[in-house]
Amino acid sequence: MGKDVIVACDFSSKQAVMEFLDKFTDEKPYVKIGMELFYAEGPSIVREIKERGHKIFLDLKLCDIPNTVKKAMSVLSGLDVDMTNLHASGTIEMMQAAVEGLTRPDGTRPLLIAVTQLTSTSEERMREQLLIDKPLDEVVMHYAANAAAAGLDGVVCSPLESGKVHSRCGSDFLTVTPGVRFADGDVGDQVRVTTPAKAKELGSDYIVVGRPITAAADPVEAYRRCVSEFVG
Ligand code: C5P
């Protein structure tokens, strides 16, 4: 599976995302569509970006009873996205149902990636609010192993965790990693960041990059810089 840069298109309208994508004339970046854009514009935004020739990671982080997730995943599969995700906290049974729902009659399906613990959940909040007493990194690795056991393709994690995830779940188990910044760029609200080159060195399979590209003075140049550092 080839390494790739996924551009987090965290825009709130079709107009804004299309204006951004219009800047790319020579390449077709892999696009991440999140809840904000999807809920604002509906499934048609996925079809339209797909028709322009982009691969799509639909980041909706599903979590519900297995039957509901299975049926929802079957709808997303019909949208012909390339990658989508769910919360591993929904249990192995929910993740297995998601794989079933996502699988098309011909046996193909989009990649399915699990969110382990959100990066906004600290160890303290996990212990005090969720009553999970284990260390955060142990929980993350356990949820990753659950995702692998359920037949998922990988997890969203920090590039700093990619090595650990690969050694626990196998080198083919994908690590999709946000928190990427250029060495000379703004960190913004991300806490633990790595450069695209460092993410490559740490073994990330995909990096998810938003503002360093979307808010750059020259987004195409910033995208190319990411690709050359990460893919080489
Ligand atoms: O703009 P920035 O590069 O920080 O965007 C990163 C993207 O990855 C955003 O869409 C953000 O929601 C997502 N993400 C993240 N950290 C996670 C999971 C997802 O930054 N743990």
Side-chain angles (χ1 to χ4, degrees):
M1 199 104 40
K3 285 182 183 290
D4 212 344
V5 174
I6 302 178
V7 182
C9 286
D10 295 322
F11 297 102
S12 54
S13 70
K14 175 180 162 182
Q15 190 190 342
V17 72
M18 292 309 186
E19 270 173 25
F20 171 74
L21 293 176
D22 280 344
K23 298 180 199 296
F24 293 84
T25 48
D26 293 344
E27 50 262 288
K28 296 282 180 196
Y30 207 130
V31 165
K32 179 169 90 75
I33 298 176
M35 292 186 202
E36 185 186 8
L37 186 60
F38 188 79
Y39 292 148
E41 299 291 351
S44 65
I45 193 71
V46 175
R47 293 194 196 96
E48 286 183 44
I49 296 177
K50 188 82 197 172
E51 270 164 25
R52 286 170 160 239
H54 298 270
K55 284 191 165 182
I56 293 181
F57 170 19
L58 189 55
D59 178 15
L60 298 181
K61 300 186 179 71
L62 274 65
C63 193
D64 207 319
I65 59 170
N67 186 51
T68 300
V69 169
K70 180 176 173 178
K71 289 198 246 170
M73 284 294 181
S74 138
V75 175
L76 300 186
S77 191
L79 282 177
D80 203 20
V81 299
D82 298 279
M83 184 188 294
T84 190
N85 60 1
L86 48 62
H87 277 283
S89 61
T91 75
I92 292 176
E93 288 70 18
M94 186 202 79
M95 291 192 273
Q96 286 170 331
V99 173
E100 276 177 41
L102 214 49
T103 305
R104 304 182 183 104
D106 66 1
T108 64
R109 65 166 173 79
L111 293 172
L112 184 58
I113 305 296
V115 172
T116 55
Q117 281 290 349
L118 292 169
T119 42
S120 50
T121 307
S122 65
E123 195 162 294
E124 189 188 1
R125 287 177 185 166
M126 210 176 61
R127 190 177 54 248
E128 291 178 359
Q129 299 179 26
L130 307 181
L131 300 182
I132 299 172
D133 279 330
K134 306 272 190 201
L136 183 59
D137 60 343
E138 199 179 317
V139 174
V140 167
M141 288 306 145
H142 184 67
Y143 284 21
N146 284 351
L152 267 69
D153 304 291
V155 284
V156 180
C157 65
S158 158
L160 302 163
E161 294 160 353
S162 291
K164 255 189 172 176
V165 169
H166 284 140
S167 47
R168 173 91 183 245
C169 304
S171 56
D172 290 345
F173 194 66
L174 303 172
T175 52
V176 179
T177 65
V180 173
R181 292 292 179 267
F182 292 120
D184 53 2
D186 241 359
V187 170
D189 55 359
Q190 294 282 10
V191 181
R192 296 190 306 152
V193 298
T194 51
T195 63
K198 185 74 184 166
K200 178 183 185 179
E201 192 187 310
L202 293 169
S204 295
D205 297 288
Y206 294 87
I207 50 172
V208 177
V209 188
R211 289 158 294 178
I213 294 173
T214 56
D218 184 344
V220 176
E221 192 268 337
Y223 171 73
R224 287 183 182 152
R225 184 176 167 195
C226 261
V227 171
S228 80
E229 274 193 37
F230 182 67
V231 185

